[in-house]
Amino acid sequence: MKYKKIGDILILNDDYDNLDELASKHKVKTIMKIDHIQGTKREPVYKVLYGHETETVNKENKCLFKLDLSKVMWSKGNVNERLRIAKLVRDGETVLDMFAGIGYFSIPIGVHSNAKQVISIEINPNSHYYLCENIELNKCDNITPVLGDCLVETPKYKADRILMGYVKTTHHYLKVAVESLNKGGIIHYHETVPEKLMETRPISRIRQAAGDRDVELLKINKIKKYAPGVEHVVIDALIE
């Protein structure tokens, strides 16, 4: 049986008969099954199997994340990446977090770095609500939550570091991201890519968006296997 525990809620991948026993064993109040995440707002299609409360608080990397699993997604596979990025942020940086969700990257940056400001853009009103809750919960007074479309909101800001923690259509947002990146800034661009194109396609897309600006590939970081023969990767690129 495959499962993941988020706060005091258990998410099952498979059917299981004795849910009372399972809830007692894992000390959870609710058991859910999430079929898939849909749309640009990343909303879950789910079923509650046991209990009824879908809001919880998850602890990760010394951060607290309040969320409602019937309304917003939680990506457990990015746990190491979230802390890696927070540790890369330099003192006094302005960071722009596109597709911020409930603060998956913004909150660890607020907790573990000395960033001057973190601008967190999220299109889903429910995710934005929990982003605001998590800013307060973690006492992060340097995070500015912005409700809106990244294509519209990103050009309003300038940043030293830009996070693009979304996959599938992320490359459509590269141009506005690059235009908002200060000279010598760093972009962290997520993409799902066939293994054979991993070394070439993501960085070529960044270079195309950058136009005549110089692009230096700093790192290709594998997050997880997305599908057979397809990797979820993050490209760290410095753009002059």
Side-chain angles (χ1 to χ4, degrees):
M1 180 190 66
K2 292 183 179 180
Y3 67 88
K4 56 185 173 183
K5 188 176 178 182
I6 302 168
D8 52 4
I9 296 177
L10 202 67
I11 306 295
L12 295 186
N13 286 8
D14 308 302
D15 293 328
Y16 191 83
D17 293 331
N18 197 334
L19 295 175
D20 284 297
E21 178 185 74
L22 197 63
S24 177
K25 178 182 176 181
H26 292 282
K27 296 182 173 61
V28 295
K29 63 184 179 184
T30 305
I31 300 175
M32 300 174 67
K33 191 172 184 180
I34 296 177
D35 185 46
H36 63 278
I37 303 297
Q38 65 179 6
T40 56
K41 293 184 179 179
R42 297 176 285 178
E43 296 171 312
V45 175
Y46 70 96
K47 183 186 292 184
V48 176
L49 306 174
Y50 175 92
H52 62 277
E53 291 183 52
T54 55
E55 186 178 84
T56 189
V57 176
N58 192 57
K59 295 179 182 179
E60 176 188 285
N61 293 326
K62 298 182 180 178
C63 302
L64 299 174
F65 294 93
K66 187 177 181 181
L67 72 161
D68 187 331
L69 287 161
S70 70
K71 296 177 180 177
V72 303
M73 64 167 280
W74 174 262
S75 179
K76 204 172 179 69
N78 286 353
V79 55
N80 294 328
E81 178 66 11
R82 293 192 270 266
L83 187 58
R84 181 183 82 90
I85 294 298
K87 289 182 174 181
L88 288 176
V89 174
R90 303 185 187 103
D91 292 356
E93 279 191 349
T94 295
V95 180
L96 179 59
D97 184 8
M98 300 170 69
F99 323 104
I102 63 170
Y104 311 104
F105 288 98
S106 294
I107 297 300
I109 291 170
V111 170
H112 295 291
S113 81
N114 290 311
K116 179 182 178 181
Q117 185 183 20
V118 183
I119 301 144
S120 307
I121 305 173
E122 174 54 41
I123 197 171
N124 183 332
N126 289 319
S127 295
H128 178 264
Y129 169 79
Y130 284 105
L131 169 63
C132 295
E133 289 279 296
N134 291 327
I135 290 169
E136 186 174 339
L137 196 59
N138 291 276
K139 299 179 173 62
C140 296
D141 57 7
N142 61 344
I143 301 177
T144 303
V146 178
L147 177 61
D149 187 334
C150 287
L151 283 176
V152 176
E153 299 300 329
T154 300
K156 298 176 183 178
Y157 303 95
K158 286 288 185 180
D160 305 303
R161 187 180 301 269
I162 295 182
L163 316 177
M164 303 183 73
Y166 180 59
V167 294
K168 295 185 179 179
T169 61
T170 325
H171 57 287
H172 296 308
Y173 298 80
L174 268 170
K175 192 172 188 300
V176 293
V178 170
E179 288 173 353
S180 291
L181 189 69
N182 289 331
K183 182 179 179 181
I186 294 171
I187 200 162
H188 302 282
Y189 165 67
H190 289 239
E191 186 174 315
T192 48
V193 58
E195 288 175 343
K196 62 183 179 180
L197 299 176
M198 194 171 66
E199 304 285 337
T200 55
R201 192 178 78 179
I203 191 63
S204 69
R205 282 177 163 170
I206 295 172
R207 288 195 169 109
Q208 184 178 9
D212 58 3
R213 293 174 68 179
D214 290 333
V215 176
E216 180 186 350
L217 173 61
L218 301 177
K219 185 173 184 178
I220 300 175
N221 199 41
K222 287 186 183 181
I223 302 298
K224 59 187 175 184
K225 184 78 69 177
Y226 185 79
V230 179
E231 293 282 350
H232 174 182
V233 300
V234 180
I235 307 301
D236 297 352
L238 186 148
I239 303 177
E240 293 297 347

